[in-house]
Amino acid sequence: MNTTDTRPPALLGTSGLIFVGILVAAAILVPVLNLLTSPDTALHVPTYVVSLLGKYLCYALLALSVDLIWGYVGILSLGQGAFFALGGYAMGMYLMRQIGTRGVYGDPVLPDFMVFLNWKELPWFWYGFDMFPFAAVMVVLAPGALALVFGWFAFRSRVTGVYLSIITQAMTFALLLAFFRNDMGFGGNNGLTDFKDILGFNIQADGTRAALFALSALALILGYVLCRFLVRSHFGKVLIAIRDAETRVRFTGYRAENYKLVAFVASAMLAGVAGALYVPQVGIINPSEFSPANSIEIIVWVAVGGRGTLVGAALGAVLVNYAKTYFTSGILAPYWLFMLGGLFVAVTLFLPKGIIGTFYEWRDRRNPPPDEAGEPIAEPRPAE
């Protein structure tokens, strides 16, 4: 940690400005090339590519949320997929309520799966989801509340390290089993799908897809700026100190559990927003999103891009998911999970600071920065 620089730190830094600039350009160019160019031209971006890129941006926001707690606080959560899925379910419930009489059974209130399962009335926890503002609040409130309750007990009990990782994984596995049940009222194994509209706009229309992509880019920018603000503030310096020497921080009078809890809840809310933007772009949310394997995969994204760099986490999410898209559509599809595992092992052994962390190290070794105001305030942490 830099303790000698007393000048106010830059919020974004050079790498952050480049990152935000790329996202702003993408948020403008991709919709323009999709909506205003002819499908016969080489510049045209097909709608399915727009949705695919939007999905990558949602994953990048999810990776940011993991990097905030893993890279800067040292909390290795293997249950981040649960918060992502809860945000997705909140949005999915809103989208299901918009279907109304256009469903297969034509019921104006009950979603199709409830009619099929012979439900007589709408469960109480579905009330309010016919209003977008209520659903938008629940997108952050549901994962935030779960993180608050879980984190309050875990951090006050001083559960850390591998034990915390195990119980976060147990939490998401328990939710996976619960959401698989038809009597939970969330669609069981099939989940929520067959969405029609969002805010009155056809969810399949090119314009809606382009708008969702632009919103995903905007959410990623805001999420990045929020994370940068947190980690560069006094609050963030305490988080980094907790990561590096929690016992010493406690001896200096800080309540480490409170700092960890705030970061954990903020991270869960970011994941919830990512899930809410993800669902209308892929058209479905089901219990598989709670799978512990998904949460482990998020860790691989962050490790590949660079733990404790923020930009690296987002980059890792995009690169790994592009590779997943490419390799799971051909003859190599059965071997994708082996490749993903091998990638994590290779990064841990040969590139422990990830792509961006290694780049920072190489750059600083060649040209030591005279002014660290725009650079990370802590060294990127190896994936361990």
Side-chain angles (χ1 to χ4, degrees):
M1 184 188 307
N2 178 18
T3 58
T4 59
D5 189 357
T6 58
R7 287 168 293 180
L11 178 59
L12 296 182
T14 305
S15 59
L17 287 173
I18 295 173
F19 178 67
V20 171
I22 291 173
L23 287 175
V24 170
I28 297 172
L29 286 177
V30 171
V32 167
L33 294 178
N34 172 249
L35 298 174
L36 301 182
T37 59
S38 169
D40 298 327
T41 65
L43 293 176
H44 180 72
V45 178
T47 300
Y48 80 91
V49 174
V50 174
S51 297
L52 188 62
L53 295 175
K55 187 176 75 170
Y56 291 165
L57 295 184
C58 295
Y59 285 151
L61 181 58
L62 177 59
L64 269 186
S65 74
V66 170
D67 198 26
L68 176 64
I69 54 172
W70 187 35
Y72 292 92
V73 199
I75 301 172
L76 179 56
S77 170
L78 297 182
Q80 201 71 4
F83 306 126
F84 178 81
L86 286 177
Y89 265 96
M91 177 57 71
M93 292 165 75
Y94 162 74
L95 296 173
M96 290 297 287
R97 293 297 306 274
Q98 301 308 300
I99 296 175
T101 56
R102 293 171 293 173
V104 174
Y105 300 102
D107 193 293
V109 177
L110 296 180
D112 280 342
F113 75 89
M114 290 187 184
V115 178
F116 179 77
L117 294 172
N118 204 28
W119 287 62
K120 300 302 181 186
E121 60 183 17
L122 198 67
W124 63 268
F125 48 83
W126 277 76
Y127 290 161
F129 279 98
D130 54 334
M131 298 177 289
F132 182 79
F134 179 84
V137 170
M138 294 306 294
V139 160
V140 293
L141 189 60
L146 176 62
L148 179 65
V149 174
F150 180 89
W152 194 87
F153 285 106
F155 299 138
R156 285 184 181 275
S157 303
R158 300 194 180 182
V159 179
T160 59
V162 66
Y163 301 104
L164 182 66
S165 302
I166 290 173
I167 62 173
T168 53
Q169 194 167 47
M171 174 191 71
T172 192
F173 188 64
L175 288 170
L176 167 72
L177 297 178
F179 275 71
F180 260 120
R181 295 168 59 93
N182 285 327
D183 56 4
M184 282 286 289
F186 295 106
N189 181 48
N190 294 322
L192 310 177
T193 187
D194 194 27
F195 308 132
K196 308 292 186 189
D197 297 334
I198 180 169
L199 290 171
F201 297 97
N202 183 354
I203 207 166
Q204 301 295 336
D206 291 351
T208 307
R209 297 283 180 174
L212 288 169
F213 170 84
L215 284 174
S216 300
L218 178 62
L220 182 55
I221 292 172
L222 294 177
Y224 174 74
V225 172
L226 173 64
C227 290
R228 283 283 297 191
F229 173 76
L230 288 177
V231 301
R232 296 194 68 82
S233 65
H234 175 76
F235 173 80
K237 292 178 180 177
V238 176
L239 292 182
I240 295 167
I242 291 172
R243 179 195 71 184
D244 294 339
E246 182 172 342
T247 303
R248 290 185 183 181
V249 174
R250 291 185 184 278
F251 274 122
T252 57
Y254 287 99
R255 298 290 298 270
E257 62 272 19
N258 292 343
Y259 284 83
K260 293 165 75 173
L261 183 60
V262 171
F264 192 59
V265 171
S267 168
M269 289 180 170
L270 279 178
V273 172
L277 289 167
Y278 169 86
V279 167
Q281 296 185 81
V282 301
I284 188 172
I285 177 74
N286 60 37
S288 67
E289 298 297 339
F290 287 103
S291 170
N294 287 3
S295 295
I296 294 173
E297 197 170 317
I298 302 166
I299 298 300
V300 178
W301 305 343
V302 178
V304 169
R307 176 188 172 196
T309 62
L310 295 181
V311 172
L315 178 66
V318 174
L319 290 179
V320 174
N321 280 287
Y322 175 77
K324 183 177 183 179
T325 302
Y326 184 80
F327 288 112
T328 55
S329 59
I331 58 174
L332 295 176
Y335 308 105
W336 165 247
L337 290 180
F338 296 101
M339 297 167 65
L340 185 65
L343 177 65
F344 184 61
V345 172
V347 166
T348 304
L349 292 178
F350 305 113
L351 209 64
K353 292 185 177 179
I355 296 172
I356 296 297
T358 303
F359 170 74
Y360 284 157
E361 186 179 55
W362 171 81
R363 181 198 58 186
D364 293 345
R365 192 166 52 240
R366 286 177 57 89
N367 301 301
D371 176 7
E372 295 184 352
E375 304 306 323
I377 59 175
E379 287 290 323
R381 297 287 291 179
E384 55 191 16

